[in-house]
Amino acid sequence: MFQFLSMGWLYAAPLLIGGLVLLYFLKLKRREVGISSTYLWQNALNDLRVNSPFQRLRTNLLLILQLLALILLILALSRPVSPLGGLKGSDAVILIDVSASMSAKDAGGQTRFEKGKVEALKVVDDLSFGDRAVIVAFDDSAHVLTDMTESKSTLRRALEQLEPTDRGSVLGGAIQRVRGLLSNAERAPELYVISDGQVGSLESVTLDESVPLHYIRVGSSGENVGIVSFDVHLASGFGDETRVFVAVQNLGTEKRTVGVDFHLDGELAGSREVTLGPNGVSSVPFDAPLGDEARHARITLDHGDDPSVDVFPSDDEVVAILRPPKPFNVLLVSDGNLFLHSALSEDPRVAKTAEGAVPTIASASYKPELGGEFDVVVLDRVTPPEIGAGSYLCFGARPPFSGLTDLGQIENTEVIDQDETHPVTRFVNFSTLELPTARRLKPRPKDVIVVSSTFGPLVIDARDADRHALVIAFNLLELPLEGAWTFDPSFPIFLSNVIRYLAGSSAEVRKDLLLPTGDVAEVTYPKLAVKAKVQHEKAEKPTEIKIVQGDESLRVANLDRRGIYTVTFVDEAGQDLNQTRFAANIVSTAESTVLPAENLVLQGGKKVDASEEAIETNKDVWKYVAAAALLFLMLEWWVYNRRTYL
Amino acid sequence: MSRKILQGKVKGEKRSKKRGQSVEFADHRMYAPGDDLRFLDWSIYARLDQLMIKLFLEEEDLRVYLLVDSSKSMDYGRPNKMRYALKVAAALGYIGLVNMNRVGIGTFSTQLDRVFRPERGRRNLPKMIQFLEATEPEGRTDLGRACKRFAQEHRAKGVVILISDFLDRHGYQDAVRFFTARKMDVFCLQVLAPQELDPPLKGDLKLVDAEDGQETEITISEPLVERYKANLGALMGGLREFCHKRGARYMSASTAMPFDRLVLDQLRLHGLVR
């Protein structure tokens, strides 16, 4: 039995047919022509009518042919279908992949996402009367866009408004999410997955045998060279030099040569060329000189004369906001130590007072809470009864850590070993250190011995809850003046290493918030802020997020697009406070692997092969009806020219 | 100008069947006492030993009646039928007057509208032309009625040249009969426009009759045009045959033919003009 997919035309049929008949009976506007006599013309008309074999009927053949053609045209527009089976009284769950790899553009000019939308629309159009469907978009999470509905217009609208993201792809989670929709025993559910197949592992995914899974594959090529890793860190030693690293991988089957360009604040700051075989990876570094202000870094891949060979341009660019490292806030607690004072003053990354000196207090003025106000507190020959949370460098004294004991003084000890892998020993030579006296410290099992002497540890890396200390077992002022280690270049280098080590992440270039798409950014906010406006560089307007006071940081989720996000904090009065920026990038081998999968492999190795287009569930017969309408129209044209009458 | 020998009052150029004194021998008859012996045919007496008297033809003037259809249906075509018919009538009238024939003209539509009394001689030419020029198309066609009236008013025999399109719903038969019954020499000249012979009409039309304003809605098609032409051909053929059966002559002319060619060539061929 035939069904009609576009009933609207059938409802309009009485109006259209009535209109045609009405037009026909309206007086045809004829041109007046004066002639000598109508006598012979009347005779001719009468003769034609008399000679017609169907004169009794006197029905206009043209009207009948036009009505037939119109009826057939209306039927053709109503999309008659002869159901083949499949979606008959069933529920279709349409999972459409909107992850980053769907932005790949194979031959033909359309992206995979656009092709996927076309296939999804076909599934919707093929729904018969009584069938239902739901649209679920998935990347690394699932988004149910409609209810399970029979309304094709609702489904089409949801598909037309859909946009791809730059996030990864996790199909397993999406199938879990829609499992409830597939369990209606009164309907015949079917699952459609429209994707390129790069959807993560499905080993844990099981499906009821009665639920058919149709994998509609979009895309054809896997030729892609992309940036799969991006990092920024400070170069070793003093100075403001920063280094940017990208890893470039060839995920295609052909050997490729690409250019890697580094831009700083829009200007080309470096360029390299790499040649990669299939699956080859190359790490490319660039120096990034920083000043006092944040700088916009961008690294792009140049595919040369034929960029269309690379089907996935989204992973050809990474961006970051590089902020110069903030100065280290160091407090020197000492009753006088020229060596420490001088060496700390020489370190350009140590903050100075307005007078240009390192903040210094006498040991008697020390308070435990000071530990939280400074990045590092240097305790020179001081063992306070308690210290607060923070980082400490203790010279010639131990911190008040339980279990870390001072066993007394030792004499004439020398260095016998140092941990070359520890950050504080980098480029430091302790061999010239002469120690007429030193403290004999007994470390705890969890403490790390950095430098050892003949009588025990000389440098200990100790942690105690929220307190971190580097303990130096000797007093700088007791070192011999001649050839003293304090005059050796190793001493300021050692001090610099310790400051940067104890200051932790703040010692690094602030590349925090260099995130992959789909991740969650945690942004510190000012105390007066009540909300934040988050806007992607290409978005038309920002999204507002309310700040819950008491939370450690503001969590910014929905990083769907790669690029720069700007966060503006707003106070109660609606005034903008300060602003910060961060970047999100596609830096994932998984998402850069864009070769469409031949099949989906579920739990137990069950394979679902791909089909190139939506399963045909109805046989379209509108073409035959339209052809018949055309035949009647041609016959009507012929009769019009002949003007025969019934 | 006339095929038949017609009786006349004045001796004119045309031969008359009246045997009178002329030089043209016509026939013999038996001698009766009292006959003029000058007309005895002695050659016959020598051969047949019978006395026969020679008879001679008497010349008399010929009456030419020109009947011109001036109904509204004649005011049609390019060239216009009315103008064409008047030119032909003027040409024939001129020939008649110049040849000392009595020429009379009548214009008609539903009835006999205007009459130019038969006149003889070249001096009547301007008056005749003036009469023809003043003719305006009006009214419907009723050939029979007009011809009947003309025949009643003009009993003298002669040549009747009927110039019309003969598109008369009442038919043409009575019109011709009125003259042939009076032994008139009838010549029917059917004048038609090229647009009537091969209509250049297309599409959906409302035809309006020039005489009675009747409207006929038609959609031009090949079968319709063919049927129209067949009907026209039947009308012309029927008129030709009708005339032939009654000793009248018929000719059709398209206004596309120059009227001088019609008069000097075609009418000469048909014996209307010598």
Side-chain angles (χ1 to χ4, degrees), chain B residues 32-58:
Chain B
D35 289 335
D36 192 339
L37 293 174
R38 287 181 294 170
F39 298 111
L40 277 173
D41 194 342
W42 294 110
S43 61
I44 288 189
Y45 179 72
R47 287 201 307 272
L48 301 177
D49 207 20
Q50 281 187 346
L51 287 170
M52 302 292 281
I53 292 292
K54 290 180 188 176
L55 295 174
F56 295 95
L57 294 172
E58 185 172 330

PDB file of all heavy atoms in Angstrom, chain B residues 32-58:
ATOM      1  N   ALA B  32     -41.994  35.580-101.032  1.00  0.00           N
ATOM      2  CA  ALA B  32     -43.451  35.777-100.989  1.00  0.00           C
ATOM      3  C   ALA B  32     -43.770  36.959-101.865  1.00  0.00           C
ATOM      4  O   ALA B  32     -42.964  37.913-101.940  1.00  0.00           O
ATOM      5  CB  ALA B  32     -43.902  36.024 -99.555  1.00  0.00           C
ATOM      6  N   PRO B  33     -44.901  36.914-102.562  1.00  0.00           N
ATOM      7  CA  PRO B  33     -45.233  38.061-103.454  1.00  0.00           C
ATOM      8  C   PRO B  33     -45.236  39.333-102.642  1.00  0.00           C
ATOM      9  O   PRO B  33     -45.762  39.398-101.525  1.00  0.00           O
ATOM     10  CB  PRO B  33     -46.642  37.727-103.963  1.00  0.00           C
ATOM     11  CG  PRO B  33     -46.751  36.238-103.841  1.00  0.00           C
ATOM     12  CD  PRO B  33     -45.930  35.835-102.687  1.00  0.00           C
ATOM     13  N   GLY B  34     -44.591  40.341-103.256  1.00  0.00           N
ATOM     14  CA  GLY B  34     -44.481  41.632-102.600  1.00  0.00           C
ATOM     15  C   GLY B  34     -43.094  41.886-102.023  1.00  0.00           C
ATOM     16  O   GLY B  34     -42.776  43.018-101.658  1.00  0.00           O
ATOM     17  N   ASP B  35     -42.289  40.815-101.843  1.00  0.00           N
ATOM     18  CA  ASP B  35     -40.945  41.033-101.331  1.00  0.00           C
ATOM     19  C   ASP B  35     -40.112  41.807-102.305  1.00  0.00           C
ATOM     20  O   ASP B  35     -40.335  41.757-103.536  1.00  0.00           O
ATOM     21  CB  ASP B  35     -40.248  39.681-101.047  1.00  0.00           C
ATOM     22  CG  ASP B  35     -40.842  38.988 -99.844  1.00  0.00           C
ATOM     23  OD1 ASP B  35     -41.430  39.674 -98.955  1.00  0.00           O
ATOM     24  OD2 ASP B  35     -40.693  37.756 -99.764  1.00  0.00           O
ATOM     25  N   ASP B  36     -39.108  42.474-101.694  1.00  0.00           N
ATOM     26  CA  ASP B  36     -38.215  43.274-102.534  1.00  0.00           C
ATOM     27  C   ASP B  36     -37.333  42.325-103.329  1.00  0.00           C
ATOM     28  O   ASP B  36     -36.610  41.478-102.780  1.00  0.00           O
ATOM     29  CB  ASP B  36     -37.364  44.170-101.625  1.00  0.00           C
ATOM     30  CG  ASP B  36     -36.606  45.250-102.363  1.00  0.00           C
ATOM     31  OD1 ASP B  36     -36.407  45.078-103.577  1.00  0.00           O
ATOM     32  OD2 ASP B  36     -36.163  46.215-101.700  1.00  0.00           O
ATOM     33  N   LEU B  37     -37.446  42.474-104.724  1.00  0.00           N
ATOM     34  CA  LEU B  37     -36.711  41.553-105.593  1.00  0.00           C
ATOM     35  C   LEU B  37     -35.202  41.778-105.517  1.00  0.00           C
ATOM     36  O   LEU B  37     -34.420  40.911-105.918  1.00  0.00           O
ATOM     37  CB  LEU B  37     -37.186  41.705-107.043  1.00  0.00           C
ATOM     38  CG  LEU B  37     -38.632  41.248-107.294  1.00  0.00           C
ATOM     39  CD1 LEU B  37     -39.092  41.578-108.731  1.00  0.00           C
ATOM     40  CD2 LEU B  37     -38.805  39.756-107.037  1.00  0.00           C
ATOM     41  N   ARG B  38     -34.790  42.894-104.906  1.00  0.00           N
ATOM     42  CA  ARG B  38     -33.350  43.147-104.827  1.00  0.00           C
ATOM     43  C   ARG B  38     -32.667  42.176-103.887  1.00  0.00           C
ATOM     44  O   ARG B  38     -31.459  41.938-103.954  1.00  0.00           O
ATOM     45  CB  ARG B  38     -33.093  44.553-104.327  1.00  0.00           C
ATOM     46  CG  ARG B  38     -33.395  45.619-105.353  1.00  0.00           C
ATOM     47  CD  ARG B  38     -33.089  46.982-104.767  1.00  0.00           C
ATOM     48  NE  ARG B  38     -33.991  47.275-103.671  1.00  0.00           N
ATOM     49  CZ  ARG B  38     -33.844  48.307-102.847  1.00  0.00           C
ATOM     50  NH1 ARG B  38     -32.841  49.155-103.021  1.00  0.00           N
ATOM     51  NH2 ARG B  38     -34.723  48.527-101.893  1.00  0.00           N
ATOM     52  N   PHE B  39     -33.465  41.567-103.019  1.00  0.00           N
ATOM     53  CA  PHE B  39     -32.872  40.694-102.034  1.00  0.00           C
ATOM     54  C   PHE B  39     -33.001  39.248-102.390  1.00  0.00           C
ATOM     55  O   PHE B  39     -32.784  38.342-101.585  1.00  0.00           O
ATOM     56  CB  PHE B  39     -33.502  40.951-100.632  1.00  0.00           C
ATOM     57  CG  PHE B  39     -33.259  42.322-100.133  1.00  0.00           C
ATOM     58  CD1 PHE B  39     -34.349  43.220-100.031  1.00  0.00           C
ATOM     59  CD2 PHE B  39     -31.983  42.792 -99.845  1.00  0.00           C
ATOM     60  CE1 PHE B  39     -34.148  44.525 -99.586  1.00  0.00           C
ATOM     61  CE2 PHE B  39     -31.819  44.088 -99.404  1.00  0.00           C
ATOM     62  CZ  PHE B  39     -32.874  44.962 -99.257  1.00  0.00           C
ATOM     63  N   LEU B  40     -33.436  38.923-103.696  1.00  0.00           N
ATOM     64  CA  LEU B  40     -33.476  37.533-104.128  1.00  0.00           C
ATOM     65  C   LEU B  40     -32.064  36.997-104.204  1.00  0.00           C
ATOM     66  O   LEU B  40     -31.157  37.666-104.700  1.00  0.00           O
ATOM     67  CB  LEU B  40     -34.137  37.427-105.489  1.00  0.00           C
ATOM     68  CG  LEU B  40     -35.667  37.392-105.511  1.00  0.00           C
ATOM     69  CD1 LEU B  40     -36.214  37.453-106.943  1.00  0.00           C
ATOM     70  CD2 LEU B  40     -36.191  36.118-104.839  1.00  0.00           C
ATOM     71  N   ASP B  41     -31.891  35.755-103.735  1.00  0.00           N
ATOM     72  CA  ASP B  41     -30.573  35.121-103.797  1.00  0.00           C
ATOM     73  C   ASP B  41     -30.512  34.308-105.076  1.00  0.00           C
ATOM     74  O   ASP B  41     -31.064  33.201-105.167  1.00  0.00           O
ATOM     75  CB  ASP B  41     -30.366  34.246-102.555  1.00  0.00           C
ATOM     76  CG  ASP B  41     -28.907  33.824-102.367  1.00  0.00           C
ATOM     77  OD1 ASP B  41     -28.119  33.894-103.304  1.00  0.00           O
ATOM     78  OD2 ASP B  41     -28.545  33.409-101.243  1.00  0.00           O
ATOM     79  N   TRP B  42     -29.936  34.894-106.144  1.00  0.00           N
ATOM     80  CA  TRP B  42     -29.932  34.255-107.462  1.00  0.00           C
ATOM     81  C   TRP B  42     -29.039  33.034-107.487  1.00  0.00           C
ATOM     82  O   TRP B  42     -29.298  32.087-108.273  1.00  0.00           O
ATOM     83  CB  TRP B  42     -29.495  35.275-108.512  1.00  0.00           C
ATOM     84  CG  TRP B  42     -30.486  36.383-108.665  1.00  0.00           C
ATOM     85  CD1 TRP B  42     -30.359  37.666-108.300  1.00  0.00           C
ATOM     86  CD2 TRP B  42     -31.791  36.283-109.249  1.00  0.00           C
ATOM     87  NE1 TRP B  42     -31.475  38.389-108.592  1.00  0.00           N
ATOM     88  CE2 TRP B  42     -32.388  37.547-109.164  1.00  0.00           C
ATOM     89  CE3 TRP B  42     -32.524  35.215-109.860  1.00  0.00           C
ATOM     90  CZ2 TRP B  42     -33.658  37.815-109.652  1.00  0.00           C
ATOM     91  CZ3 TRP B  42     -33.789  35.530-110.320  1.00  0.00           C
ATOM     92  CH2 TRP B  42     -34.343  36.782-110.225  1.00  0.00           C
ATOM     93  N   SER B  43     -28.065  32.975-106.579  1.00  0.00           N
ATOM     94  CA  SER B  43     -27.192  31.787-106.623  1.00  0.00           C
ATOM     95  C   SER B  43     -27.953  30.565-106.148  1.00  0.00           C
ATOM     96  O   SER B  43     -27.798  29.467-106.692  1.00  0.00           O
ATOM     97  CB  SER B  43     -25.945  32.023-105.763  1.00  0.00           C
ATOM     98  OG  SER B  43     -26.309  32.245-104.423  1.00  0.00           O
ATOM     99  N   ILE B  44     -28.792  30.721-105.214  1.00  0.00           N
ATOM    100  CA  ILE B  44     -29.594  29.605-104.750  1.00  0.00           C
ATOM    101  C   ILE B  44     -30.584  29.201-105.819  1.00  0.00           C
ATOM    102  O   ILE B  44     -30.840  28.032-106.043  1.00  0.00           O
ATOM    103  CB  ILE B  44     -30.308  29.948-103.428  1.00  0.00           C
ATOM    104  CG1 ILE B  44     -29.272  29.993-102.289  1.00  0.00           C
ATOM    105  CG2 ILE B  44     -31.409  28.967-103.130  1.00  0.00           C
ATOM    106  CD1 ILE B  44     -29.806  30.098-100.908  1.00  0.00           C
ATOM    107  N   TYR B  45     -31.207  30.204-106.543  1.00  0.00           N
ATOM    108  CA  TYR B  45     -32.144  29.903-107.613  1.00  0.00           C
ATOM    109  C   TYR B  45     -31.455  29.092-108.705  1.00  0.00           C
ATOM    110  O   TYR B  45     -32.021  28.165-109.245  1.00  0.00           O
ATOM    111  CB  TYR B  45     -32.720  31.201-108.168  1.00  0.00           C
ATOM    112  CG  TYR B  45     -33.675  30.983-109.287  1.00  0.00           C
ATOM    113  CD1 TYR B  45     -34.979  30.430-109.045  1.00  0.00           C
ATOM    114  CD2 TYR B  45     -33.351  31.289-110.641  1.00  0.00           C
ATOM    115  CE1 TYR B  45     -35.849  30.211-110.085  1.00  0.00           C
ATOM    116  CE2 TYR B  45     -34.247  31.070-111.674  1.00  0.00           C
ATOM    117  CZ  TYR B  45     -35.488  30.530-111.377  1.00  0.00           C
ATOM    118  OH  TYR B  45     -36.368  30.300-112.433  1.00  0.00           O
ATOM    119  N   ALA B  46     -30.227  29.452-108.961  1.00  0.00           N
ATOM    120  CA  ALA B  46     -29.496  28.740-110.014  1.00  0.00           C
ATOM    121  C   ALA B  46     -29.219  27.319-109.581  1.00  0.00           C
ATOM    122  O   ALA B  46     -29.242  26.403-110.400  1.00  0.00           O
ATOM    123  CB  ALA B  46     -28.188  29.475-110.322  1.00  0.00           C
ATOM    124  N   ARG B  47     -28.984  27.162-108.350  1.00  0.00           N
ATOM    125  CA  ARG B  47     -28.618  25.806-107.898  1.00  0.00           C
ATOM    126  C   ARG B  47     -29.837  24.961-107.628  1.00  0.00           C
ATOM    127  O   ARG B  47     -29.909  23.795-107.978  1.00  0.00           O
ATOM    128  CB  ARG B  47     -27.788  25.884-106.616  1.00  0.00           C
ATOM    129  CG  ARG B  47     -26.371  26.366-106.829  1.00  0.00           C
ATOM    130  CD  ARG B  47     -25.507  25.920-105.653  1.00  0.00           C
ATOM    131  NE  ARG B  47     -26.074  26.320-104.383  1.00  0.00           N
ATOM    132  CZ  ARG B  47     -25.846  27.480-103.811  1.00  0.00           C
ATOM    133  NH1 ARG B  47     -25.050  28.375-104.369  1.00  0.00           N
ATOM    134  NH2 ARG B  47     -26.424  27.764-102.657  1.00  0.00           N
ATOM    135  N   LEU B  48     -30.803  25.604-106.965  1.00  0.00           N
ATOM    136  CA  LEU B  48     -31.909  24.783-106.460  1.00  0.00           C
ATOM    137  C   LEU B  48     -33.218  25.036-107.199  1.00  0.00           C
ATOM    138  O   LEU B  48     -34.215  24.368-106.919  1.00  0.00           O
ATOM    139  CB  LEU B  48     -32.131  25.111-104.965  1.00  0.00           C
ATOM    140  CG  LEU B  48     -30.928  24.866-104.054  1.00  0.00           C
ATOM    141  CD1 LEU B  48     -31.244  25.297-102.637  1.00  0.00           C
ATOM    142  CD2 LEU B  48     -30.490  23.408-104.082  1.00  0.00           C
ATOM    143  N   ASP B  49     -33.161  26.018-108.077  1.00  0.00           N
ATOM    144  CA  ASP B  49     -34.369  26.378-108.828  1.00  0.00           C
ATOM    145  C   ASP B  49     -35.493  26.790-107.874  1.00  0.00           C
ATOM    146  O   ASP B  49     -36.664  26.453-108.084  1.00  0.00           O
ATOM    147  CB  ASP B  49     -34.805  25.185-109.693  1.00  0.00           C
ATOM    148  CG  ASP B  49     -35.601  25.648-110.963  1.00  0.00           C
ATOM    149  OD1 ASP B  49     -35.475  26.819-111.337  1.00  0.00           O
ATOM    150  OD2 ASP B  49     -36.363  24.820-111.490  1.00  0.00           O
ATOM    151  N   GLN B  50     -35.036  27.508-106.763  1.00  0.00           N
ATOM    152  CA  GLN B  50     -36.015  27.993-105.786  1.00  0.00           C
ATOM    153  C   GLN B  50     -35.739  29.458-105.526  1.00  0.00           C
ATOM    154  O   GLN B  50     -34.589  29.909-105.471  1.00  0.00           O
ATOM    155  CB  GLN B  50     -35.867  27.243-104.443  1.00  0.00           C
ATOM    156  CG  GLN B  50     -36.509  25.895-104.469  1.00  0.00           C
ATOM    157  CD  GLN B  50     -36.501  25.270-103.099  1.00  0.00           C
ATOM    158  OE1 GLN B  50     -35.812  25.705-102.193  1.00  0.00           O
ATOM    159  NE2 GLN B  50     -37.300  24.228-102.944  1.00  0.00           N
ATOM    160  N   LEU B  51     -36.854  30.185-105.393  1.00  0.00           N
ATOM    161  CA  LEU B  51     -36.723  31.619-105.131  1.00  0.00           C
ATOM    162  C   LEU B  51     -36.616  31.842-103.629  1.00  0.00           C
ATOM    163  O   LEU B  51     -37.527  31.481-102.875  1.00  0.00           O
ATOM    164  CB  LEU B  51     -37.932  32.378-105.678  1.00  0.00           C
ATOM    165  CG  LEU B  51     -38.006  32.524-107.207  1.00  0.00           C
ATOM    166  CD1 LEU B  51     -39.343  33.066-107.659  1.00  0.00           C
ATOM    167  CD2 LEU B  51     -36.869  33.403-107.731  1.00  0.00           C
ATOM    168  N   MET B  52     -35.409  32.449-103.123  1.00  0.00           N
ATOM    169  CA  MET B  52     -35.181  32.685-101.685  1.00  0.00           C
ATOM    170  C   MET B  52     -34.809  34.127-101.513  1.00  0.00           C
ATOM    171  O   MET B  52     -34.059  34.699-102.293  1.00  0.00           O
ATOM    172  CB  MET B  52     -34.043  31.803-101.141  1.00  0.00           C
ATOM    173  CG  MET B  52     -34.275  30.328-101.330  1.00  0.00           C
ATOM    174  SD  MET B  52     -35.630  29.692-100.308  1.00  0.00           S
ATOM    175  CE  MET B  52     -34.800  29.559 -98.763  1.00  0.00           C
ATOM    176  N   ILE B  53     -35.267  34.711-100.414  1.00  0.00           N
ATOM    177  CA  ILE B  53     -34.983  36.115-100.097  1.00  0.00           C
ATOM    178  C   ILE B  53     -33.875  36.130 -99.033  1.00  0.00           C
ATOM    179  O   ILE B  53     -33.939  35.390 -98.043  1.00  0.00           O
ATOM    180  CB  ILE B  53     -36.238  36.819 -99.545  1.00  0.00           C
ATOM    181  CG1 ILE B  53     -37.287  36.956-100.631  1.00  0.00           C
ATOM    182  CG2 ILE B  53     -35.870  38.175 -98.969  1.00  0.00           C
ATOM    183  CD1 ILE B  53     -36.925  37.918-101.766  1.00  0.00           C
ATOM    184  N   LYS B  54     -32.849  37.001 -99.146  1.00  0.00           N
ATOM    185  CA  LYS B  54     -31.794  37.156 -98.128  1.00  0.00           C
ATOM    186  C   LYS B  54     -32.307  38.015 -96.993  1.00  0.00           C
ATOM    187  O   LYS B  54     -32.953  39.031 -97.214  1.00  0.00           O
ATOM    188  CB  LYS B  54     -30.545  37.842 -98.703  1.00  0.00           C
ATOM    189  CG  LYS B  54     -29.764  37.008 -99.684  1.00  0.00           C
ATOM    190  CD  LYS B  54     -28.563  37.814-100.151  1.00  0.00           C
ATOM    191  CE  LYS B  54     -27.875  37.100-101.280  1.00  0.00           C
ATOM    192  NZ  LYS B  54     -26.773  37.870-101.834  1.00  0.00           N
ATOM    193  N   LEU B  55     -31.918  37.581 -95.777  1.00  0.00           N
ATOM    194  CA  LEU B  55     -32.254  38.383 -94.593  1.00  0.00           C
ATOM    195  C   LEU B  55     -30.961  38.986 -94.023  1.00  0.00           C
ATOM    196  O   LEU B  55     -29.942  38.312 -93.951  1.00  0.00           O
ATOM    197  CB  LEU B  55     -32.911  37.496 -93.528  1.00  0.00           C
ATOM    198  CG  LEU B  55     -34.267  36.898 -93.906  1.00  0.00           C
ATOM    199  CD1 LEU B  55     -34.726  35.926 -92.820  1.00  0.00           C
ATOM    200  CD2 LEU B  55     -35.310  37.988 -94.124  1.00  0.00           C
ATOM    201  N   PHE B  56     -31.005  40.246 -93.473  1.00  0.00           N
ATOM    202  CA  PHE B  56     -29.817  40.943 -92.939  1.00  0.00           C
ATOM    203  C   PHE B  56     -30.046  41.313 -91.497  1.00  0.00           C
ATOM    204  O   PHE B  56     -31.154  41.557 -91.061  1.00  0.00           O
ATOM    205  CB  PHE B  56     -29.517  42.178 -93.779  1.00  0.00           C
ATOM    206  CG  PHE B  56     -29.125  41.857 -95.175  1.00  0.00           C
ATOM    207  CD1 PHE B  56     -30.084  41.851 -96.192  1.00  0.00           C
ATOM    208  CD2 PHE B  56     -27.810  41.549 -95.509  1.00  0.00           C
ATOM    209  CE1 PHE B  56     -29.741  41.539 -97.499  1.00  0.00           C
ATOM    210  CE2 PHE B  56     -27.493  41.243 -96.827  1.00  0.00           C
ATOM    211  CZ  PHE B  56     -28.437  41.244 -97.838  1.00  0.00           C
ATOM    212  N   LEU B  57     -28.932  41.413 -90.663  1.00  0.00           N
ATOM    213  CA  LEU B  57     -29.023  41.792 -89.238  1.00  0.00           C
ATOM    214  C   LEU B  57     -29.168  43.278 -89.123  1.00  0.00           C
ATOM    215  O   LEU B  57     -28.572  44.034 -89.874  1.00  0.00           O
ATOM    216  CB  LEU B  57     -27.765  41.365 -88.495  1.00  0.00           C
ATOM    217  CG  LEU B  57     -27.548  39.862 -88.383  1.00  0.00           C
ATOM    218  CD1 LEU B  57     -26.168  39.587 -87.806  1.00  0.00           C
ATOM    219  CD2 LEU B  57     -28.618  39.221 -87.541  1.00  0.00           C
ATOM    220  N   GLU B  58     -29.935  43.690 -88.063  1.00  0.00           N
ATOM    221  CA  GLU B  58     -30.085  45.123 -87.829  1.00  0.00           C
ATOM    222  C   GLU B  58     -29.322  45.499 -86.558  1.00  0.00           C
ATOM    223  O   GLU B  58     -29.485  44.901 -85.502  1.00  0.00           O
ATOM    224  CB  GLU B  58     -31.566  45.445 -87.674  1.00  0.00           C
ATOM    225  CG  GLU B  58     -31.820  46.952 -87.552  1.00  0.00           C
ATOM    226  CD  GLU B  58     -33.286  47.265 -87.600  1.00  0.00           C
ATOM    227  OE1 GLU B  58     -34.071  46.558 -88.224  1.00  0.00           O
ATOM    228  OE2 GLU B  58     -33.651  48.254 -86.935  1.00  0.00           O
TER     229      GLU B  58
END
